Amino acid sequence: IRQLVKQRRPRGFPPGPTPLPIIGNILSLQGTERDEEYSNPNIFSLDLGGVSTVILNGYDAIKECLYHQSEVFADRPSLPLFQKMTKMGGLLNCKYGQSWIEHNKLAVNCFRYFGSGQRMFEKISEECLFFLDAIDQHQGKPFNPKHLVTNAVSNITNLIIFGQRFTYDDSDFQHMIEIFSENVELAASGWAFLYNAFPWMEYVPFGKHQKLFRNANEVYDFLLQIIKRFSQDRVPQSPQHYIDAYLDEMEQSATDKATSFSQDNLIFSVGELIIAGTETTTNCLRWAMLYITLYPRIQEKVQMEIDCILNGRPSALEDKQGMPYVEAVLHEVLRLCNVVPLGIFRATSQDAVVRGYTIPKGTMVITNLYSVHFDEKYWSNPSIFWPERFLGCNGKFVRHEAFLPFSIGKRHCLGEQLARLEMFLFFTTLLQRFHLQFPEGFIPSLSPKLGMTLQPRPYSICAIRRQQ
Ligand code: HEM
């Protein structure tokens, strides 16, 4: 039987542990017992409930595939769950081809046009003030910042997509975000793997997969409703936000049978942009707040730099370059906290050869970004929070090659520049006004809540107004 099961791997495929019947090596995803028994421990394979998957570990293997064979590794896997959710359309989960090219181009242009430069900087600064005022209302008493950070961060994406922010008490919008992030969690759960192995489970009326479908339907209904609301006053060919620009594309290509612009794909892309922008940046900021509250000396140094450069005035676009310590702290949070630890599942768009192994077209590929940031070839003492690793001896910021929180290659994160700007502004304005400390007797946990994204376990902090 062992021999038979082993033969499920295609010829020349990277080796891996023997799969168990039905569930394959799903359990190995949590363990670490792979490695040394293979000649190439950085490329190996697992059977995830019947889905042959290649795992890429460490910076060299990931760069070799995602960067040097960018197009070959640019696809997304056609898993039953993804097919059911977005029909492999939209943007983030879209198959690599004409449809992705069209949707990526439109989104990149919109992010450049509506989401960068001085105008966006001012918009984020405005949102920072709403954020600080909402924190002020807690008057230094303990509160869990998750809710406020989520609202503030999602509003930046909302400005690009809808041209408007939502108030922090908009319960409909918040409910949508909540069930959407619940789905991100469910999509990485055992139920999702089971569904991918046995798509007929769709007809089993109980189970978490049904919750996933119900949530998705509710989210898509809500998105359709607000898309309609925000496009009511639209002037064709004069786009004010992403929805307008998308509808222009839809109209222009209305007679083109091959076009990928459609109402369904509009809803899917809007949903993906909202969740991809919110979950990640929110979690990063929550980790950043947690770490600097835990390390008061680091918080003090951050505040010294902010006070020295800003001297009480609001941040300007040029200040980002002048604050190497803030940059170092935010980079160290991105490295150590690994908010997207396994990237977003990739697939091969054509047959591939890597280090002598053959990987057939359509194979699922998991990029272990976590392993890049703990790769001892590139980082010393990688498990220690040490912002200074990003500073040269002259105190200037130093880039590191093996730093891939936004991934690389064709499908790398589209919101990287925006996320960096948001993190910088929210972080500096927060620490300019407040000193953060834990409520007395509170011992924070640094172990993450596991899922497709890594987030801190809920914690409370006190934000005490600083004297300046
Ligand atoms: C993709 C990380 C913020 C939109 C990704 C990927 C990662 C990532 C690892 C996977 C790329 C791959 O397939 O290899 C992050 C982190 C963020 C962040 C760490 C914040 C700290 C944002 C923001 C937006 C965004 C603010 C937009 C509002 C996207 C989209 C994709 C993506 C659309 C899919 C790209 C594609 O499939 O072509 N991100 N992201 N992300 N991200 Fe981000």
Side-chain angles (χ1 to χ4, degrees):
I1 288 175
R2 219 178 143 86
Q3 216 40 42
L4 264 179
V5 177
K6 270 192 168 168
Q7 278 169 10
R8 275 161 58 176
R9 289 198 165 84
R11 186 181 289 272
F13 207 58
T18 306
L20 294 169
I22 302 176
I23 61 166
N25 310 113
I26 283 180
L27 303 175
S28 309
L29 258 190
Q30 288 153 358
T32 50
E33 83 321 321
R34 29 162 191 98
D35 293 8
E36 286 71 23
E37 45 183 298
Y38 316 121
S39 54
N40 243 327
N42 292 331
I43 300 184
F44 65 99
S45 66
L46 293 176
D47 174 321
L48 300 181
V51 182
S52 292
T53 305
V54 170
I55 315 287
L56 301 177
N57 263 340
Y59 177 68
D60 296 339
I62 289 184
K63 187 175 177 199
E64 205 172 316
C65 297
L66 266 54
Y67 186 75
H68 292 296
Q69 300 199 49
S70 189
E71 292 217 12
V72 180
F73 285 86
D75 210 352
R76 299 280 183 218
S78 306
L79 296 174
L81 183 67
F82 297 158
Q83 284 173 355
K84 165 110 181 142
M85 297 308 234
T86 57
K87 303 172 192 157
M88 301 315 291
L91 168 63
L92 180 141
N93 244 336
C94 185
K95 292 300 287 173
Y96 181 62
Q98 195 53 30
S99 178
W100 177 79
I101 292 173
E102 287 174 357
H103 280 78
N104 183 58
K105 188 172 162 205
L106 178 69
V108 168
N109 283 342
C110 283
F111 271 67
R112 233 177 249 150
Y113 190 69
F114 303 118
S116 65
Q118 184 61 27
R119 214 179 72 157
M120 194 63 208
F121 187 89
E122 282 164 18
K123 292 275 182 197
I124 303 178
S125 304
E126 260 171 58
E127 191 62 45
C128 286
L129 294 183
F130 285 112
F131 177 60
L132 295 189
D133 288 349
I135 291 180
D136 239 348
Q137 285 174 12
H138 291 279
Q139 299 181 330
K141 298 204 179 71
F143 72 103
N144 178 351
K146 177 174 179 178
H147 176 73
L148 276 177
V149 179
T150 308
N151 284 321
V153 164
S154 64
N155 268 344
I156 308 307
T157 328
N158 291 335
L159 282 167
I160 300 174
I161 299 177
F162 307 111
Q164 270 188 44
R165 64 185 294 275
F166 292 85
T167 58
Y168 295 168
D169 56 7
D170 188 321
S171 51
D172 290 342
F173 183 77
Q174 265 146 39
H175 176 65
M176 187 276 288
I177 293 275
E178 238 161 68
I179 59 174
F180 210 155
S181 28
E182 185 182 14
N183 267 14
V184 175
E185 222 169 283
L186 287 173
S189 71
W191 280 96
F193 281 103
L194 264 181
Y195 178 81
N196 286 329
F198 309 111
W200 47 259
M201 273 179 54
E202 182 171 352
Y203 305 105
V204 177
F206 50 84
K208 289 260 175 71
H209 61 298
Q210 294 295 356
K211 173 87 181 147
L212 220 152
F213 301 152
R214 273 199 306 278
N215 282 351
N217 284 337
E218 206 182 321
V219 167
Y220 293 148
D221 284 348
F222 177 82
L223 290 178
L224 180 59
Q225 225 179 307
I226 53 173
I227 285 170
K228 284 189 173 148
R229 191 163 94 220
F230 287 106
S231 55
Q232 253 168 12
D233 305 323
R234 163 173 170 259
V235 179
Q237 301 307 320
S238 172
Q240 302 299 310
H241 43 70
Y242 177 78
I243 308 274
D244 279 355
Y246 196 102
L247 292 173
D248 281 347
E249 293 290 341
M250 251 171 92
E251 276 178 9
Q252 265 172 355
S253 57
T255 53
D256 175 3
K257 281 207 180 97
T259 180
S260 61
F261 293 111
S262 67
Q263 180 169 292
D264 268 359
N265 280 338
L266 168 59
I267 297 173
F268 298 148
S269 330
V270 166
E272 288 170 340
L273 284 170
I274 292 179
I275 206 67
T278 304
E279 277 274 315
T280 48
T281 319
T282 297
N283 288 343
C284 268
L285 278 166
R286 289 174 61 213
W287 280 117
M289 289 163 76
L290 182 63
Y291 269 94
I292 61 153
T293 311
L294 192 67
Y295 297 116
R297 296 252 330 258
I298 296 183
Q299 180 171 174
E300 209 176 292
K301 277 175 89 172
V302 165
Q303 283 166 331
M304 262 169 57
E305 187 173 81
I306 293 173
D307 294 347
C308 170
I309 300 289
L310 299 183
N311 199 10
R313 68 167 169 81
S315 222
L317 192 51
E318 308 74 60
D319 292 327
K320 201 160 171 282
Q321 274 83 41
M323 296 197 198
Y325 193 70
V326 167
E327 282 294 89
V329 169
L330 291 175
H331 276 71
E332 184 65 344
V333 169
L334 281 165
R335 182 195 70 81
L336 186 69
C337 301
N338 288 293
V339 283
V340 196
L342 302 181
I344 299 173
F345 296 166
R346 298 267 190 125
T348 40
S349 62
Q350 47 185 280
D351 292 350
V353 177
V354 183
R355 298 189 185 179
Y357 297 126
T358 319
I359 307 173
K361 175 181 174 174
T363 303
M364 177 149 116
V365 177
I366 293 184
T367 54
N368 186 352
L369 300 180
Y370 191 99
S371 70
V372 175
H373 297 150
F374 280 74
D375 191 333
E376 299 211 345
K377 181 172 164 194
Y378 292 93
W379 305 99
S380 56
N381 298 320
S383 53
I384 293 173
F385 184 75
W386 184 47
E388 281 75 7
R389 67 174 85 242
F390 286 98
L391 295 176
C393 37
N394 53 3
K396 288 229 166 78
F397 180 78
V398 180
R399 276 181 207 294
H400 276 260
E401 196 185 353
F403 178 73
L404 303 178
F406 300 96
S407 188
I408 40 169
K410 280 257 174 239
R411 302 298 287 254
H412 77 272
C413 178
L414 177 152
E416 174 171 351
Q417 295 314 322
L418 182 70
R420 285 175 182 276
L421 192 57
E422 284 181 48
M423 286 180 62
F424 171 77
L425 271 174
F426 280 116
F427 190 67
T428 46
T429 45
L430 177 71
L431 288 159
Q432 189 180 29
R433 191 185 291 184
F434 298 108
H435 171 74
L436 303 184
Q437 62 189 50
F438 291 119
E440 234 178 84
F442 179 79
I443 302 167
S445 161
L446 288 178
S447 75
K449 212 172 136 200
L450 296 181
M452 278 307 279
T453 58
L454 294 184
Q455 56 172 305
R457 293 168 193 283
Y459 63 86
S460 289
I461 44 160
C462 306
I464 318 285
R465 248 191 187 264
R466 296 177 61 213
Q467 309 291 333
Q468 282 174 71

